[in-house]
Amino acid sequence: MTRVRTGGVRAAIGAVLAVVLGATLAGCSSTGGKRAEDARKAAAAQGRAAVNTPRWTFAMVTHSGDGDTFWDIVQNGAEQAAVKDNVNFLYAHSDEAQQQAQLVDSYVAKGVDGLIVTLAKPDAMRAAVEKAVKAGIPVITVNSGADRSKAYGALTHIGQDETVAGEAVGEELDKRGRKKALCVLHEQGNIGHEQRCAGAKKTFGGELVNLYVDGTNMPDVQASILAKLQADPSVDAVVTLGAPFADAAVQARKSAGSTAEVDTFDLNAKVAGALAAGTLGFAVDQQPYLQGYEAVDLLWLYRYNADVLGGGLPVLTGPQIITKDDAAALREYTERGTR
């Protein structure tokens, strides 16, 4: 009978494992972190949390309409943070302010542990937000309504300063030598949209004209821009306030035979591709993934450790001007839905 020396077996197994681990690490390095990214996605799919805190429930209610890719990116960020933070994440939306407020009320009635809301139409949202705060539910506002957030009792606001973002657009139009621009507002009553166009008008050395369209009807959006370009050939720039509307502006420009540059707020895969192809001039990125991710993460930090960021001021995620030179580096992220 042969006696096996267990110490030798363990040493041999250890050597094999070291070789396998070394090969695995080398593989990760050679693929530029792709395997690490795949592992992250697998963990998310399996719902593995990185913490052992109670499974709190956080709800997000936005003013998004149906099919808006911007809010898909916000949700992606929120859901990723929720997985990490062991949070049950709920999402609802309505582009009708009264319905949005009712959705907030419904989550308050359910006793959620935290709320994330947008304040595109702040007056209509005030009572619902204040009711949540009075009920002891911490609230974080995102994307719109930074100037009302603190007054309504929210912990902080996460997003870009819309006036500052508009001012950046005006400055960029000047750099590009533009003289007359359309600012296409697709949601009347949205305070953030008004601030964007007003900011652009403030810093733009040329003439800027607001054009109101029905954002729920894309053919109408395209027809309205087309009519304006045909009526006024001096327009040499069209600025849309959301990524889905940029393509409608491009189609309108083509139909009008115009040479106007089309620029847009927000970024997605289609916009990144159009920037790379030169179809669009520039995009204003406010990093929606961060807005969703940080909102969930900051609610978790508040519940866990009473942490609050911002010091009474908004936590800014933008603006960042994205041009053709930046598009290639960001396209991978836009295609996976995180930029």
Side-chain angles (χ1 to χ4, degrees), residues 21-333:
L21 179 59
T24 300
L25 292 174
C28 286
S29 176
S30 65
T31 56
K34 183 178 184 302
R35 293 183 184 179
E37 172 65 14
D38 290 344
R40 182 193 67 76
K41 290 179 179 178
Q46 295 169 22
R48 294 206 302 264
V51 296
N52 62 358
T53 47
R55 189 161 175 78
W56 292 310
T57 294
F58 298 161
M60 175 183 282
V61 183
T62 75
H63 62 276
S64 169
D66 294 330
D68 191 332
T69 56
F70 177 92
W71 293 104
D72 293 339
I73 301 171
V74 174
Q75 280 185 259
N76 286 343
E79 289 168 356
Q80 184 59 48
V83 169
K84 175 181 69 70
D85 293 339
N86 191 34
V87 164
N88 177 35
F89 177 71
L90 306 176
Y91 180 80
H93 67 92
S94 175
D95 55 6
E96 295 292 335
Q98 192 59 42
Q99 291 180 15
Q100 187 190 358
Q102 290 171 357
L103 289 168
V104 171
D105 285 342
S106 71
Y107 284 132
V108 172
K110 290 178 181 178
V112 296
D113 301 297
L115 267 170
I116 303 160
V117 300
T118 61
L119 301 178
K121 298 175 181 176
D123 292 339
M125 294 296 296
R126 179 168 191 160
V129 173
E130 290 180 342
K131 183 187 293 185
V133 173
K134 187 175 181 179
I137 299 173
V139 176
I140 286 178
T141 60
V142 299
N143 181 258
S144 54
D147 57 339
R148 306 286 187 94
S149 177
K150 187 175 181 180
Y152 291 4
L155 298 176
T156 193
H157 178 84
I158 302 171
Q160 71 180 2
D161 184 305
E162 301 292 16
T163 299
V164 171
E167 291 172 354
V169 167
E171 292 168 356
E172 187 67 21
L173 290 173
D174 278 341
K175 289 179 184 177
R176 292 164 178 264
R178 302 299 156 180
K179 301 301 180 184
K180 187 170 186 178
L182 294 181
C183 194
V184 184
L185 297 95
H186 61 267
E187 184 182 345
Q188 292 194 40
N190 185 320
I191 190 172
H193 291 183
E194 297 288 348
Q195 289 170 339
R196 289 177 182 180
C197 292
K201 189 170 186 177
K202 179 180 177 182
T203 57
F204 182 39
E207 180 184 358
L208 185 138
V209 179
N210 287 358
L211 176 64
Y212 293 90
V213 299
D214 179 5
T216 64
N217 185 340
M218 201 62 76
D220 177 76
V221 173
Q222 184 173 328
S224 297
I225 298 172
L226 170 61
K228 196 69 175 178
L229 291 176
Q230 288 175 327
D232 189 353
S234 68
V235 172
D236 59 6
V238 178
V239 180
T240 61
L241 302 188
F245 305 96
D247 188 57
V250 169
Q251 296 305 316
R253 175 185 63 188
K254 183 178 179 181
S255 298
S258 169
T259 59
E261 177 179 280
V262 176
D263 308 302
T264 190
F265 279 78
D266 302 332
L267 188 68
N268 62 16
K270 196 165 188 178
V271 168
L275 288 170
T279 309
L280 295 177
F282 66 87
V284 185
D285 185 21
Q286 59 175 305
Q287 301 185 100
Y289 182 87
L290 273 185
Q291 293 179 16
Y293 190 99
E294 290 301 326
V296 169
D297 218 27
L298 290 185
L299 278 178
W300 178 84
L301 283 166
Y302 181 78
R303 299 288 317 196
Y304 174 67
N305 204 45
D307 289 318
V308 179
L309 287 184
L313 298 175
V315 178
L316 299 182
T317 62
Q320 180 182 5
I321 299 294
I322 306 296
T323 67
K324 183 176 183 178
D325 294 338
D326 311 303
L330 295 178
R331 194 162 188 179
E332 173 190 351
Y333 309 128

